Amino acid sequence: NAGVTQTPKFQVLKTGQSMTLQCAQDMNHEYMSWYRQDPGMGLRLIHYSVGAGITDQGEVPNGYNVSRSTTEDFPLRLLSAAPSQTSVYFCASSYSSVFSGNTIYFGEGSWLTVV
Amino acid sequence: AQSVAQPEDQVNVAEGNPLTVKCTYSVSGNPYLFWYVQYPNRGLQFLLKYITGDNLVKGSYGFEAEFNKSQTSFHLKKPSALVSDSALYFCAVRDNDYKLSFGAGTTVTVRA
């Protein structure tokens, strides 16, 4: 009963480095998304996907790429890390359906520091 | 565009007293409203949601929330707070699209 699994939990990057945050879910959810959490700003949507092969931008997509080759996985790539990307990142998933009140489940978070 | 406001950054209550965390929303379509709780260094845990039906929704850990359409509010309540309820609480709204919009969060501190 893993739910939504994120790795790594903690990461320190140097400015300009690239990295990938991994996210996997075992609930057969169609919808997956990435949020970043910053103090006083709540959670902001970076990218989301409504199914394999389909991705779209959220509120703050610049500097991030995503792909959805399988239903289970939704990696988030930082192309060239900047200090402004220091944040806590959360992956989330839910069932997609016409009934959009489906609960979204969150991973435990990835703490990223860019120096 | 949808949005959520949590007007209080912090709420402080004594253990055993009622706890209320306020939330107002703005959405063009049908509002699907959620409350999540976050403990230090952890992910968000689902507490409760309003989809349709009764305006009073009961959730996990003794929490409940009241949906008020005329005031566009969805306040979270607990009749008797516990020290273990100290955490960061987020209100969120999801409209007919798939996106979930969060408030800035309210830090609840329950003192013994």
Side-chain angles (χ1 to χ4, degrees):
Chain A
N1 192 19
V4 180
T5 303
Q6 289 182 234
T7 56
K9 180 97 173 172
F10 300 98
Q11 182 72 49
V12 179
L13 284 179
K14 293 182 179 179
T15 298
Q17 285 184 318
S18 62
M19 79 157 296
T20 299
L21 299 177
Q22 302 291 343
C23 176
Q25 52 91 10
D26 61 357
M27 297 174 280
N28 203 31
H29 286 166
E30 301 96 336
Y31 176 80
M32 296 186 74
S33 55
W34 277 101
Y35 290 84
R36 59 176 289 172
Q37 181 180 17
D38 301 292
M41 303 186 75
L43 278 77
R44 293 180 292 170
L45 183 64
I46 304 171
H47 285 284
Y48 66 99
S49 168
V50 300
I54 305 169
T55 63
D56 207 345
Q57 295 181 350
E59 183 183 355
V60 288
N62 292 341
Y64 307 95
N65 271 358
V66 292
S67 60
R68 185 91 181 271
S69 57
T70 67
T71 299
E72 294 78 18
D73 300 301
F74 191 47
L76 178 73
R77 297 182 185 86
L78 281 70
L79 308 173
S80 178
S84 61
Q85 292 179 303
T86 293
S87 187
V88 184
Y89 292 85
F90 289 98
C91 180
S93 73
S94 77
Y95 290 111
S96 293
S97 71
V98 175
F99 186 56
S100 296
N102 287 312
T103 301
I104 294 182
Y105 296 90
F106 287 82
E108 289 290 295
S110 296
W111 274 252
L112 176 66
T113 301
V114 183
V115 298
Chain B
Q2 58 193 33
S3 66
V4 170
Q6 293 181 242
E8 300 162 316
D9 293 336
Q10 292 195 346
V11 170
N12 299 309
V13 298
E15 188 172 36
N17 282 1
L19 169 64
T20 299
V21 186
K22 296 180 180 177
C23 171
T24 59
Y25 67 91
S26 173
V27 64
S28 56
N30 294 322
Y32 302 105
L33 296 155
F34 301 80
W35 275 101
Y36 286 83
V37 60
Q38 184 182 33
Y39 298 100
N41 299 321
R42 301 296 300 276
L44 277 71
Q45 297 179 28
F46 169 75
L47 277 180
L48 50 80
K49 66 181 178 182
Y50 171 82
I51 306 301
T52 185
D54 289 340
N55 290 341
L56 185 64
V57 178
K58 294 187 182 296
S60 306
Y61 313 121
F63 283 94
E64 58 188 27
E66 185 170 11
F67 171 68
N68 189 317
K69 187 174 182 178
S70 62
Q71 297 184 3
T72 61
S73 66
F74 189 56
H75 301 332
L76 180 70
K77 300 180 180 181
K78 187 170 184 179
S80 179
L82 300 172
V83 172
S84 58
D85 293 328
S86 298
L88 181 58
Y89 291 80
F90 289 101
C91 182
V93 64
R94 190 180 194 187
D95 65 9
N96 292 327
D97 197 345
Y98 297 107
K99 304 172 189 176
L100 192 65
S101 295
F102 286 87
T106 299
T107 299
V108 171
T109 301
V110 182
R111 60 186 184 277

